[in-house]
Amino acid sequence: MSNLDSPVPPEAATIRKAFVVAAPPDHVWAALRDIHALPTRLAAGFVTNSRRDGDDRLLTFANGMEARERILAVDEAQKRVVYSVISDQMSFHRASAAVTARADGQTEFTWTAQVAPAELAPGMDAMMEIGAAAIKHTLETAAAGA
């Protein structure tokens, strides 16, 4: 069973960031689905490097932290990417980022992570807050220049 199919343990914490991006959904989805272009197309200044390592991507963040992520799904129909952080510090991690069109032509971006042990959630929440701001800025800046 992959982490995509495994049930969320009851002790896991859930973190959710949802925000509006002043850019068309197709623009936002193109950046999100380009899974190795985080430093340039999705989260500039938050993710500074992304490289492929077999089935994983290795990310370096602006604070120097590194993470190994396994992409579990890139769902074109739902405009959603699902991934898992591979770490000895976590007994469970699964996250998704999804793009939804709004009636006003803008985009709802929803980023959700589930992590165990739950004690890791405050640090992850803080990182995701910074990441969400970087995502919004990167996408809106690119859309304004298009």
Side-chain angles (χ1 to χ4, degrees), residues 29-42:
W29 173 238
L32 176 60
R33 72 175 311 283
D34 191 355
I35 60 172
H36 294 290
L38 274 72
T40 56
R41 295 189 69 189
L42 189 68

Side-chain angles (χ1 to χ4, degrees), residues 11 26 29-30 55 60 74-76 94 105 108 116-117 122 128 135:
E11 70 276 11
D26 289 344
W29 173 238
D55 292 336
T60 305
V74 177
D75 187 328
E76 295 286 341
R94 183 171 49 219
E108 180 80 18
M128 287 176 66
I135 291 167

Side-chain angles (χ1 to χ4, degrees), residues 24-91:
D26 289 344
H27 168 81
V28 175
W29 173 238
L32 176 60
R33 72 175 311 283
D34 191 355
I35 60 172
H36 294 290
L38 274 72
T40 56
R41 295 189 69 189
L42 189 68
F46 176 64
V47 176
T48 59
N49 190 37
S50 175
R51 68 180 179 87
R52 186 183 317 259
D53 184 33
D55 292 336
D56 300 340
R57 67 180 174 190
L58 302 177
L59 301 180
T60 305
F61 295 89
N63 65 3
M65 190 175 95
E66 296 181 336
R68 174 178 293 273
E69 295 180 344
R70 179 141 316 135
I71 304 301
L72 303 174
V74 177
D75 187 328
E76 295 286 341
Q78 293 186 4
K79 292 185 171 47
R80 181 177 71 135
V81 172
V82 182
Y83 65 94
S84 180
V85 173
I86 310 300
S87 168
D88 291 339
Q89 295 178 323
M90 294 179 227
S91 58

Side-chain angles (χ1 to χ4, degrees), residues 69-145:
E69 295 180 344
R70 179 141 316 135
I71 304 301
L72 303 174
V74 177
D75 187 328
E76 295 286 341
Q78 293 186 4
K79 292 185 171 47
R80 181 177 71 135
V81 172
V82 182
Y83 65 94
S84 180
V85 173
I86 310 300
S87 168
D88 291 339
Q89 295 178 323
M90 294 179 227
S91 58
F92 181 87
H93 179 275
R94 183 171 49 219
S96 66
V99 170
T100 306
R102 291 172 38 111
D104 61 6
Q106 297 184 89
T107 304
E108 180 80 18
F109 193 102
T110 305
W111 186 13
T112 306
Q114 298 160 312
V115 62
E119 295 79 35
L120 297 175
M124 185 170 290
D125 182 65
M127 285 282 292
M128 287 176 66
E129 191 68 30
I130 295 166
I135 291 167
K136 180 174 174 61
H137 178 76
T138 302
L139 293 169
E140 290 179 348
T141 301

